[in-house]
């Protein structure tokens, strides 16, 4: 998988997660979706350990951003 495709996938997941994060009173389904997006980003980040995470936009604390 090339870096551009990985970055696009990460951006898509983050966009969907950010939309849910903006919802003030999330219901259980929305909260579960947000958890799933955060977990997806964590899986991608873990799979790319040793690579330049900044280049694909994953150089931040996922849990602090989406699950705090």
């Amino acid at each position: 998988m090339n870096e551009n495709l990985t970055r696009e996938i990460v951006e898509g997941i983050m966009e969907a997660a950010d939309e849910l994060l903006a919802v003030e009173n999330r219901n259980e389904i929305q909260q579960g979706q947000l958890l799933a997006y955060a977990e997806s980003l964590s899986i991608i980040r873990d799979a790319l350990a040793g690579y330049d995470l900044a280049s694909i936009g994953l150089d931040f604390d996922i849990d602090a951003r989406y699950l705090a």
Side-chain angles (χ1 to χ4, degrees):
M1 188 178 312
N2 69 39
E3 186 176 308
N4 290 331
L5 179 58
T6 304
R7 186 179 322 108
E8 287 181 33
I9 292 168
V10 167
E11 288 172 356
I13 295 170
M14 288 175 57
E15 186 176 310
D18 288 339
E19 287 176 12
L20 283 172
L21 197 58
V23 174
E24 288 187 29
N25 295 313
R26 287 185 296 274
N27 61 34
E28 290 178 5
I29 293 171
Q30 291 167 319
Q31 190 61 37
Q33 289 173 321
L34 188 57
L35 176 63
Y37 290 137
E39 185 63 24
S40 297
L41 292 172
S42 293
I43 290 168
I44 293 169
R45 184 186 58 204
D46 291 347
L48 297 174
Y51 289 90
D52 180 16
L53 296 178
S55 68
I56 58 166
L58 280 177
D59 58 332
F60 64 93
D61 186 340
I62 295 168
D63 290 345
R65 179 170 176 172
Y66 294 114
L67 304 178

